[in-house]
Amino acid sequence: MDFISIFSIFLLACFVGYFVVWSVTPALHTPLMSVTNAISSVIIVGALIASAAAGSPVSKWLGLAAVVMASINIFGGFAVTGRMLAMYKKKER
């Protein structure tokens, strides 16, 4: 694939992702975060496989960057999910 095709797919994915996330009702944000955490874990596995199979050092560094960014997304998603679930707990008086 050439660069224009890959860049077009990236822009379309950003556009669709933006509208999917902002059209979800607040009650469904926690399940959505869980799904994004699952997708990020798949990205980590894919990055590890791709960087292990690649021969060039640039590919290994890009795989490391993908693992770091997906890890940040996962840990941030868990933090946000925990905070949102804490909002539904009864407050002690």
Side-chain angles (χ1 to χ4, degrees), residues 5-80:
S5 300
I6 294 172
F7 190 68
S8 300
I9 292 170
F10 175 74
L11 287 179
L12 183 63
C14 291
F15 183 75
V16 170
Y18 176 80
F19 282 104
V20 165
V21 168
W22 287 110
S23 345
V24 171
T25 60
L28 294 177
H29 274 221
T30 301
L32 181 65
M33 294 296 270
S34 300
V35 170
T36 57
N37 283 344
I39 291 171
S40 294
S41 65
V42 171
I43 290 171
I44 285 178
V45 171
L48 289 174
I49 292 171
S51 62
S56 71
V58 175
S59 300
K60 293 185 187 254
W61 284 106
L62 286 175
L64 177 67
V67 168
V68 168
M69 287 191 281
S71 299
I72 290 171
N73 188 25
I74 287 173
F75 292 124
F78 278 122
V80 169

